[in-house]
Amino acid sequence: MTNTGGGDPRPRGRWWREGAITATAFALCLLGGVVKDDGSTLSPPTAVAYFVALVSCAVLPVRHRAPLTAMAVTTASGVLAPFLGLLLSPLIAVPAVITAYSYALTARTERRAASAVALISVALLVASTPLFGALSWKDASRVGAVAAFPLVAGVLGHSVQNRRAYLAAMEERALRAEQSRDSEARRRVAEERVRIARELHDLVAHQITLANAQATVAAHLFDTRPEQTRKSLEELVETTSDALDDLRATVGLLRQSGDAEPAEPAPGLSRLPTLLASFRRAGLEVTVHQEGTARPLPPGVDLTAYRIVQEALTNVTKHAGTGSARVRLAWNRDRLTITVADDGGGVRTAPTADRPPGYGLIGMRERATAVGGHLSAGSRPEGGFLVSTQLPLPPAKDTARGTDGATTIKARTADAAAVDRETGDAL
């Protein structure tokens, strides 16, 4: 049924059900008010019968919100029925039976439900037992039914409550099992991706080593044996082509369905001014000092240098409590030294609860180690915090090569750079 009223998901269905239960109980209670124990013909209900039926059934709609109150009213109505000249039969006790069932269905503990239902049965038993005269078999059966019906209703309500709790537990268990299966599947996928990445590393390392050896032979024989040089270059092109094919295939496996393609090349130190401008807009004044002659970096080292500066300045913004920082780039013959320091003017705050202490430092250290570098971080004696890293550089002659060479080799080099960016994103 469509919910148009808000709140309760089935308001109309619930009110129809409550109305049907109340009307049925009222009719049965009213019928019990005209029953006589002498077997005489039924007469129209009296005002007293209407009063008892109306009072008993008026509290039934609120038995879920105030169960104890509903039980007290229905039980008291049944107990007062004999004193008002009515025969206390199971029909008059129907409202009390309904409230006993509802209370047993929602009671927090089994002991509390049993005590309340037993109290109803005892009260009705005492009220229905004749005080004077012998107790006939007919009276005994009526008294037994009046006392037993609330007990049966209580047992039935408690059974339904246990059944609902069992079904809820089974549903929750099934949901947890499904979540566990999903988690296990994701874990296995992640392990498989790591295994593929390791195999990729071994395969590419072997092919790059072979390509390096072929290039070395070609360079050595370039002047003395041109024909052998051409053969070595052809083998080098074939080796690099195989390496690129393996990279594409493996990166395709590592990429999950739905992964976005990189919209721009991996960042490097060439984008450092843009990065510093973003921190200045955030309120952190950054000064940059360079020593030595800057030169092009390998893609992996360039990306690592950029990420280390980015993470170090982010840590200054989050934890240093200061408004300024200094970045120093020192270019040497075989290494690049990067230092990021804050002035120690503020109080260094603790990391947030959702990020363990040292997470950023661990990431920076792993990046530096991955390209053969070294990173250290800690407090300075004069105050503040310092992050320092040394990244290896290729010899200067390797970065100053001429532009001449085979067009095929140039194309393969550009293609390898693109695949290197894809590999970095996937791993």
Side-chain angles (χ1 to χ4, degrees), residues 13-39:
R14 187 188 69 178
W15 283 112
W16 273 106
R17 184 184 60 185
E18 291 297 330
I21 292 175
T22 303
T24 303
F26 180 79
L28 294 176
C29 188
L30 193 60
L31 179 61
V34 300
V35 173
K36 304 295 182 180
D37 58 351
D38 56 1

Short mmCIF file of all heavy atoms in Angstrom, two decimals, residues 13-39:
data_model
loop_
_atom_site.label_atom_id
_atom_site.label_comp_id
_atom_site.label_asym_id
_atom_site.label_seq_id
_atom_site.Cartn_x
_atom_site.Cartn_y
_atom_site.Cartn_z
N GLY A 13 -3.67 0.66 6.79
CA GLY A 13 -3.79 -0.75 7.12
C GLY A 13 -3.82 -1.00 8.61
O GLY A 13 -4.57 -1.86 9.10
N ARG A 14 -3.00 -0.26 9.33
CA ARG A 14 -2.98 -0.46 10.78
C ARG A 14 -4.30 -0.03 11.40
O ARG A 14 -4.84 -0.73 12.27
CB ARG A 14 -1.83 0.35 11.40
CG ARG A 14 -1.64 0.06 12.88
CD ARG A 14 -0.64 1.01 13.49
NE ARG A 14 -1.18 2.37 13.53
CZ ARG A 14 -0.53 3.40 14.05
NH1 ARG A 14 0.68 3.23 14.52
NH2 ARG A 14 -1.07 4.59 14.06
N TRP A 15 -4.87 1.10 11.01
CA TRP A 15 -6.12 1.55 11.61
C TRP A 15 -7.28 0.64 11.24
O TRP A 15 -8.19 0.40 12.06
CB TRP A 15 -6.41 2.99 11.18
CG TRP A 15 -5.58 3.99 11.92
CD1 TRP A 15 -4.60 4.78 11.42
CD2 TRP A 15 -5.68 4.29 13.31
NE1 TRP A 15 -4.04 5.56 12.42
CE2 TRP A 15 -4.70 5.29 13.60
CE3 TRP A 15 -6.49 3.82 14.36
CZ2 TRP A 15 -4.52 5.81 14.87
CZ3 TRP A 15 -6.29 4.35 15.63
CH2 TRP A 15 -5.32 5.33 15.87
N TRP A 16 -7.27 0.12 10.03
CA TRP A 16 -8.31 -0.84 9.67
C TRP A 16 -8.21 -2.09 10.54
O TRP A 16 -9.24 -2.63 10.99
CB TRP A 16 -8.17 -1.23 8.19
CG TRP A 16 -8.90 -0.32 7.26
CD1 TRP A 16 -8.34 0.61 6.43
CD2 TRP A 16 -10.31 -0.25 7.05
NE1 TRP A 16 -9.30 1.29 5.72
CE2 TRP A 16 -10.54 0.77 6.08
CE3 TRP A 16 -11.40 -0.92 7.58
CZ2 TRP A 16 -11.80 1.11 5.64
CZ3 TRP A 16 -12.66 -0.58 7.14
CH2 TRP A 16 -12.87 0.42 6.18
N ARG A 17 -7.03 -2.56 10.78
CA ARG A 17 -6.86 -3.76 11.60
C ARG A 17 -7.30 -3.50 13.04
O ARG A 17 -8.00 -4.31 13.65
CB ARG A 17 -5.39 -4.20 11.58
CG ARG A 17 -5.12 -5.49 12.32
CD ARG A 17 -3.64 -5.80 12.32
NE ARG A 17 -2.89 -4.73 12.98
CZ ARG A 17 -1.56 -4.70 13.05
NH1 ARG A 17 -0.85 -5.63 12.45
NH2 ARG A 17 -0.95 -3.71 13.67
N GLU A 18 -6.87 -2.36 13.59
CA GLU A 18 -7.25 -2.03 14.96
C GLU A 18 -8.77 -1.85 15.08
O GLU A 18 -9.39 -2.27 16.07
CB GLU A 18 -6.53 -0.75 15.41
CG GLU A 18 -5.04 -0.91 15.59
CD GLU A 18 -4.69 -1.90 16.68
OE1 GLU A 18 -5.48 -2.03 17.63
OE2 GLU A 18 -3.64 -2.55 16.56
N GLY A 19 -9.36 -1.24 14.07
CA GLY A 19 -10.80 -1.07 14.10
C GLY A 19 -11.54 -2.40 14.06
O GLY A 19 -12.54 -2.60 14.78
N ALA A 20 -11.04 -3.33 13.25
CA ALA A 20 -11.68 -4.64 13.16
C ALA A 20 -11.55 -5.41 14.47
O ALA A 20 -12.51 -6.05 14.93
CB ALA A 20 -11.06 -5.44 12.01
N ILE A 21 -10.36 -5.34 15.09
CA ILE A 21 -10.16 -6.04 16.36
C ILE A 21 -11.06 -5.45 17.45
O ILE A 21 -11.71 -6.19 18.21
CB ILE A 21 -8.68 -5.96 16.77
CG1 ILE A 21 -7.81 -6.78 15.82
CG2 ILE A 21 -8.49 -6.46 18.21
CD1 ILE A 21 -6.33 -6.66 16.08
N THR A 22 -11.14 -4.14 17.53
CA THR A 22 -11.96 -3.50 18.55
C THR A 22 -13.44 -3.81 18.34
O THR A 22 -14.17 -4.10 19.31
CB THR A 22 -11.72 -1.99 18.53
OG1 THR A 22 -10.32 -1.72 18.73
CG2 THR A 22 -12.52 -1.30 19.63
N ALA A 23 -13.91 -3.75 17.11
CA ALA A 23 -15.32 -4.04 16.83
C ALA A 23 -15.68 -5.48 17.16
O ALA A 23 -16.74 -5.77 17.74
CB ALA A 23 -15.62 -3.73 15.36
N THR A 24 -14.76 -6.41 16.80
CA THR A 24 -15.03 -7.82 17.10
C THR A 24 -15.06 -8.06 18.60
O THR A 24 -15.94 -8.77 19.12
CB THR A 24 -13.95 -8.70 16.45
OG1 THR A 24 -13.93 -8.46 15.04
CG2 THR A 24 -14.23 -10.17 16.72
N ALA A 25 -14.11 -7.47 19.32
CA ALA A 25 -14.09 -7.63 20.78
C ALA A 25 -15.34 -7.02 21.41
O ALA A 25 -15.90 -7.59 22.37
CB ALA A 25 -12.82 -6.97 21.35
N PHE A 26 -15.79 -5.88 20.91
CA PHE A 26 -17.00 -5.24 21.45
C PHE A 26 -18.22 -6.13 21.24
O PHE A 26 -19.05 -6.31 22.15
CB PHE A 26 -17.20 -3.89 20.79
CG PHE A 26 -18.41 -3.15 21.28
CD1 PHE A 26 -18.39 -2.46 22.48
CD2 PHE A 26 -19.60 -3.17 20.53
CE1 PHE A 26 -19.53 -1.78 22.93
CE2 PHE A 26 -20.73 -2.50 20.98
CZ PHE A 26 -20.69 -1.80 22.18
N ALA A 27 -18.33 -6.74 20.06
CA ALA A 27 -19.48 -7.60 19.77
C ALA A 27 -19.47 -8.83 20.66
O ALA A 27 -20.52 -9.24 21.21
CB ALA A 27 -19.47 -8.00 18.29
N LEU A 28 -18.31 -9.46 20.83
CA LEU A 28 -18.22 -10.66 21.67
C LEU A 28 -18.48 -10.32 23.13
O LEU A 28 -19.18 -11.08 23.84
CB LEU A 28 -16.86 -11.32 21.51
CG LEU A 28 -16.55 -11.92 20.13
CD1 LEU A 28 -15.12 -12.44 20.07
CD2 LEU A 28 -17.54 -13.03 19.80
N CYS A 29 -17.92 -9.19 23.59
CA CYS A 29 -18.13 -8.79 24.99
C CYS A 29 -19.60 -8.46 25.24
O CYS A 29 -20.16 -8.81 26.30
CB CYS A 29 -17.24 -7.60 25.32
SG CYS A 29 -17.23 -7.14 27.07
N LEU A 30 -20.22 -7.80 24.27
CA LEU A 30 -21.64 -7.48 24.41
C LEU A 30 -22.49 -8.75 24.40
O LEU A 30 -23.48 -8.88 25.14
CB LEU A 30 -22.07 -6.56 23.28
CG LEU A 30 -23.44 -5.87 23.44
CD1 LEU A 30 -23.47 -5.00 24.69
CD2 LEU A 30 -23.75 -5.03 22.20
N LEU A 31 -22.10 -9.73 23.58
CA LEU A 31 -22.80 -11.01 23.56
C LEU A 31 -22.66 -11.74 24.89
O LEU A 31 -23.61 -12.36 25.39
CB LEU A 31 -22.28 -11.88 22.41
CG LEU A 31 -22.90 -13.28 22.27
CD1 LEU A 31 -24.41 -13.16 22.01
CD2 LEU A 31 -22.21 -14.06 21.16
N GLY A 32 -21.45 -11.66 25.47
CA GLY A 32 -21.26 -12.29 26.77
C GLY A 32 -22.09 -11.63 27.86
O GLY A 32 -22.41 -12.27 28.87
N GLY A 33 -22.46 -10.38 27.67
CA GLY A 33 -23.26 -9.69 28.68
C GLY A 33 -24.70 -10.13 28.73
O GLY A 33 -25.40 -9.84 29.71
N VAL A 34 -25.16 -10.81 27.70
CA VAL A 34 -26.56 -11.27 27.69
C VAL A 34 -26.66 -12.76 27.95
O VAL A 34 -27.78 -13.30 27.97
CB VAL A 34 -27.22 -10.91 26.34
CG1 VAL A 34 -27.21 -9.42 26.11
CG2 VAL A 34 -26.53 -11.64 25.18
N VAL A 35 -25.54 -13.46 28.12
CA VAL A 35 -25.57 -14.89 28.39
C VAL A 35 -25.98 -15.12 29.84
O VAL A 35 -25.48 -14.45 30.76
CB VAL A 35 -24.20 -15.53 28.09
CG1 VAL A 35 -24.18 -16.99 28.53
CG2 VAL A 35 -23.87 -15.42 26.62
N LYS A 36 -26.87 -16.09 30.06
CA LYS A 36 -27.33 -16.44 31.40
C LYS A 36 -26.90 -17.88 31.70
O LYS A 36 -26.79 -18.72 30.79
CB LYS A 36 -28.84 -16.32 31.50
CG LYS A 36 -29.40 -14.95 31.14
CD LYS A 36 -28.94 -13.88 32.11
CE LYS A 36 -29.54 -12.53 31.77
NZ LYS A 36 -29.11 -11.46 32.69
N ASP A 37 -26.69 -18.15 32.98
CA ASP A 37 -26.26 -19.49 33.35
C ASP A 37 -27.42 -20.44 33.56
O ASP A 37 -27.23 -21.64 33.79
CB ASP A 37 -25.42 -19.44 34.63
CG ASP A 37 -26.18 -18.82 35.79
OD1 ASP A 37 -27.28 -18.29 35.55
OD2 ASP A 37 -25.67 -18.87 36.93
N ASP A 38 -28.64 -19.94 33.49
CA ASP A 38 -29.80 -20.80 33.70
C ASP A 38 -30.38 -21.33 32.39
O ASP A 38 -31.41 -22.00 32.38
CB ASP A 38 -30.89 -20.05 34.47
CG ASP A 38 -31.29 -18.75 33.78
OD1 ASP A 38 -30.73 -18.46 32.69
OD2 ASP A 38 -32.13 -18.02 34.33
N GLY A 39 -29.73 -20.99 31.25
CA GLY A 39 -30.17 -21.50 29.96
C GLY A 39 -31.40 -20.80 29.41
O GLY A 39 -32.02 -21.30 28.46
#
